[in-house]
Amino acid sequence: MRTPEELRRRLQSRWQNQRRNWLLGQGEWPLSLSTEPPTEAKVLAEWARFDEWLAQWRVIAQRHADAVRYEARAWSRVGEQNLPCAWRFASPEAVALELGCSTAWSRAKQRFAVLAAWKDDAAWQVELSRHFDLLANLDEDEFQRLCTVVDWLWRHPASGLYPRQLPIAGIDTKWLDSYRGVTAGWLGVLHASEAREFYAATGLRAAPDRLRMRLLDRELCDAIGGLSDIEAPAEEFIGLKLPARQVLIVENLVTGLACETLPGTVVFMRRGYAVEVLAKLPWLAQLPVYYWGDIDTHGLAILSRLRGYLPRTQSLMMDEATLLAFKALWGREEKPAAPELAHLTEAEQQLYRALREGEYKQVRLEQERIAWNVAWPHVTSAMSP
């Protein structure tokens, strides 16, 4: 014997799972939920509960005359009983009404119809249906603003503008950031493109990737007007004429800033996994490259990625001996990297496997935990001719 409240919870679950499909006109109607009516034996065993169950369903039937389907039962001991057997809903509107979601459904359906008319395409309709909550709940002014932005970008697929340059009143970069996902998703389908990355989908121009480089040799500084710390768009480094003899790449900013004088050396910092741009610098690709990162799965993954672009890259203080020498400084790596790495030495591969799933599972030694007066001499010794 399912009560109206029990079936209402089921209905709520059905609403959450199926409303997107209902926007697309899918679903079989009427929707029927069984009340699981009792047998005569169960009625005799639980008469008070049965009586209360009947009363609850009478309330529902009085409120919606055709919503409850009754069936007659002729029982030998209880006599004839008219039992509520199913709660029926003729349409999504009826479901929404019962759940107090009529306004949300009506708004979502109306907005869906408006947007679906932009392009007669099944994929576009499916994409719209994925955003039921946005269609149902977004403030009207905000919704119109979003439509205006998507429409403009659709009609100007390769504007090359920075977001700040969009000729649309009432939007700014922060506003656009909050709708990156839906904007890229909608435009990808409208353009029938696989692109879902924001700038690829919108045709807008991203802020240039910037490199941060320090020169650790006074003679190198003098070669470019005395500058020692440079941050600029990556493409501006391509034509740089610099008599450097070697390159150090470190994982974080403070380590790069701490690096001391080292003849013929430049240091790049704060790149993380985004190391591929360094291989596009012709002068750098010809030099010995050293990478000094954390001893954890991600540090080794970055090393492998870097070697994929600059095969001669050597690692510094990223071996098992260093890990064991500073055991007291170990931390825990909460989300280890998982992929197989193609550009590690055999010793590095063994360490990677031990960190990922073996003896040192989830161990992490951050290089900046090692005292500077210990670490820097190791680095300079390894990089000295």
Side-chain angles (χ1 to χ4, degrees), residues 1 53 56 111 185 188 195 222 248 269 285-286 308 315-316 331-332 353 373-374 381:
M1 291 183 288
W53 179 74
Q56 291 176 2
R111 289 174 172 177
D222 292 342
L248 174 62
M269 59 200 93
Q286 306 303 315
S315 62
L316 298 175
R332 178 179 174 82
R353 287 192 289 268
N373 62 350
V374 175
S381 175

Side-chain angles (χ1 to χ4, degrees), residues 57-79:
W57 282 111
R58 278 196 295 270
V59 171
I60 299 296
Q62 289 168 3
R63 197 170 68 207
H64 305 293
D66 299 325
V68 182
R69 179 171 62 83
Y70 280 86
E71 292 182 2
R73 296 284 194 276
W75 285 327
S76 59
R77 288 171 290 177
V78 178

Side-chain angles (χ1 to χ4, degrees), residues 181-230:
V182 63
T183 302
W186 286 8
L187 286 166
V189 177
L190 287 169
H191 291 310
S193 165
E194 295 296 323
R196 293 297 183 272
E197 189 277 326
F198 178 74
Y199 290 102
T202 62
L204 295 173
R205 182 185 301 183
D209 186 16
R210 299 176 70 84
L211 293 176
R212 180 77 176 269
M213 177 183 75
R214 286 190 63 228
L215 287 68
L216 306 184
D217 184 337
R218 174 49 55 187
E219 290 185 8
L220 293 179
C221 297
D222 292 342
I224 53 174
L227 296 175
S228 65
D229 190 340
I230 304 169

Side-chain angles (χ1 to χ4, degrees), residues 41-311:
K42 191 170 185 66
V43 169
L44 290 170
E46 301 181 34
W47 181 264
R49 182 185 168 206
F50 172 66
D51 196 47
E52 174 62 23
W53 179 74
L54 288 175
Q56 291 176 2
W57 282 111
R58 278 196 295 270
V59 171
I60 299 296
Q62 289 168 3
R63 197 170 68 207
H64 305 293
D66 299 325
V68 182
R69 179 171 62 83
Y70 280 86
E71 292 182 2
R73 296 284 194 276
W75 285 327
S76 59
R77 288 171 290 177
V78 178
E80 186 168 325
Q81 299 289 331
N82 202 26
L83 303 183
C85 293
W87 196 359
R88 298 184 299 182
F89 299 89
S91 64
E93 285 78 9
V95 174
L97 178 63
E98 179 60 36
L99 297 175
C101 298
S102 291
T103 300
W105 171 257
S106 176
R107 186 185 294 121
K109 187 176 179 182
Q110 184 269 331
R111 289 174 172 177
F112 175 85
V114 169
L115 289 170
W118 283 14
K119 184 179 184 181
D120 185 14
D121 178 66
W124 172 231
Q125 294 181 16
V126 170
E127 174 64 23
L128 290 173
S129 72
R130 292 178 55 245
H131 299 275
F132 182 93
D133 287 336
L134 181 146
L135 296 176
N137 301 322
L138 196 61
D139 170 84
E140 182 61 24
D141 289 342
E142 195 81 340
F143 176 72
Q144 292 301 329
R145 192 173 293 116
L146 176 62
C147 291
T148 300
V149 169
V150 173
D151 181 60
W152 192 94
L153 291 170
W154 183 25
R155 297 175 190 282
H156 302 82
S159 71
L161 298 178
Y162 286 114
R164 178 65 179 85
Q165 295 175 298
L166 281 173
I168 302 171
I171 70 163
D172 53 32
T173 303
K174 289 183 179 179
W175 184 93
L176 201 55
D177 283 345
S178 66
Y179 293 102
R180 275 179 171 240
V182 63
T183 302
W186 286 8
L187 286 166
V189 177
L190 287 169
H191 291 310
S193 165
E194 295 296 323
R196 293 297 183 272
E197 189 277 326
F198 178 74
Y199 290 102
T202 62
L204 295 173
R205 182 185 301 183
D209 186 16
R210 299 176 70 84
L211 293 176
R212 180 77 176 269
M213 177 183 75
R214 286 190 63 228
L215 287 68
L216 306 184
D217 184 337
R218 174 49 55 187
E219 290 185 8
L220 293 179
C221 297
D222 292 342
I224 53 174
L227 296 175
S228 65
D229 190 340
I230 304 169
E231 181 173 346
E235 62 185 21
E236 296 184 12
F237 283 83
I238 292 176
L240 194 63
K241 299 185 184 304
L242 196 64
R245 297 197 298 273
Q246 57 186 358
V247 178
L248 174 62
I249 301 169
V250 296
E251 202 167 324
N252 55 53
L253 177 63
V254 292
T255 297
L257 296 176
C259 290
E260 301 170 20
T261 299
L262 194 58
T265 305
V266 298
V267 56
F268 286 92
M269 59 200 93
R270 199 178 55 187
R271 293 305 302 171
Y273 277 92
V275 293
E276 62 277 7
V277 68
L278 298 174
K280 298 177 182 179
L281 310 183
W283 57 270
L284 184 150
Q286 306 303 315
L287 299 175
V289 176
Y290 297 86
Y291 179 69
W292 182 21
D294 296 336
I295 304 180
D296 59 12
T297 60
H298 288 282
L300 289 167
I302 294 170
L303 172 62
S304 179
R305 181 175 176 81
L306 180 59
R307 279 216 192 102
Y309 295 101
L310 298 168

Side-chain angles (χ1 to χ4, degrees), residues 307-369:
R307 279 216 192 102
Y309 295 101
L310 298 168
R312 295 186 297 169
T313 300
Q314 300 180 56
S315 62
L316 298 175
M317 299 186 71
M318 296 182 68
D319 54 12
E320 187 175 22
T322 302
L323 180 68
L324 295 176
F326 298 97
K327 188 172 183 178
L329 305 178
W330 288 3
R332 178 179 174 82
E333 186 179 35
E334 295 297 336
K335 296 181 179 180
E340 295 298 324
L341 304 179
H343 303 289
L344 298 181
T345 66
E346 182 55 37
E348 290 164 349
Q349 286 283 11
Q350 290 178 9
L351 179 57
Y352 177 67
R353 287 192 289 268
L355 290 166
R356 189 177 65 173
E357 57 196 7
E359 182 180 358
Y360 309 125
K361 186 176 181 179
Q362 292 191 286
V363 165
R364 183 185 193 198
L365 176 60
E366 297 176 79
Q367 47 89 350
E368 64 179 301
R369 284 176 170 248

